[in-house]
Amino acid sequence: MLSSIVKEHQQQQAVRKEKQEQKRKEAVQAANNLTQALVDHLNVGVAQAYLNQKKLDAEAKQLQTSATNFAKQTQSWLHLVESFSSALKEIGDVENWARSIEGDMRTIATALEYSYKATQESQASTSA
């Protein structure tokens, strides 16, 4: 009877060890699953951050290109405005020159007219 009790005790102990081993394996598997889930969750965040960084780099490069093109276009516009301003100054200079010549021509025309009238009057007084 004692041997049967010992056998029964050993069988129960073996069953408990087996259950305990099974529970240990389940706990290890659950810990592995948790670790994998945490790593996957972190990797998603890291991958998203990496993609965002790539997008930011691409947009920064595009912005730099656009800024360079804008600066070139602005320089071109400034050159055109300076050319236009210079042309306007030249037109103003030509206009002043034309007014000056017109004034001189009027003075000459008036002087010639007075001279002609004086000559006519002196001829009329000598012939009369």
Side-chain angles (χ1 to χ4, degrees):
M1 173 136 185
L2 191 56
S3 68
S4 68
I5 293 175
V6 171
K7 276 187 179 181
E8 189 178 318
H9 176 67
Q10 287 175 347
Q11 285 176 348
Q12 287 176 354
Q13 211 172 19
V15 168
R16 271 188 248 138
K17 279 186 182 181
E18 196 175 307
K19 283 182 183 179
Q20 194 174 27
E21 184 64 25
Q22 181 65 29
K23 291 201 185 252
R24 187 188 68 78
K25 286 181 182 179
E26 288 175 5
V28 168
Q29 184 61 37
N32 285 341
N33 290 342
L34 176 63
T35 303
Q36 187 62 40
L38 288 173
V39 167
D40 288 346
H41 180 69
L42 289 175
N43 281 344
V44 167
V46 169
Q48 186 64 41
Y50 177 74
L51 289 175
N52 288 344
Q53 184 63 39
K54 279 181 68 176
K55 287 179 185 177
L56 284 174
D57 289 344
E59 288 181 13
K61 195 176 280 187
Q62 184 180 10
L63 179 62
Q64 184 178 8
T65 302
S66 296
T68 301
N69 290 340
F70 181 69
K72 287 178 184 176
Q73 190 174 22
T74 302
Q75 286 298 325
S76 174
W77 288 346
L78 285 173
H79 180 70
L80 286 173
V81 167
E82 287 173 6
S83 297
F84 182 70
S85 177
S86 175
L88 284 178
K89 285 179 184 177
E90 288 176 10
I91 289 173
D93 291 344
V94 168
E95 186 178 357
N96 282 339
W97 175 78
R99 284 183 187 160
S100 174
I101 292 220
E102 184 180 4
D104 290 347
M105 293 301 285
R106 282 187 182 159
T107 303
I108 291 171
T110 304
L112 286 174
E113 193 176 316
Y114 284 137
S115 172
Y116 178 75
K117 284 182 182 178
T119 303
Q120 290 293 338
E121 287 177 6
S122 80
Q123 281 181 357
S125 61
T126 55
S127 50

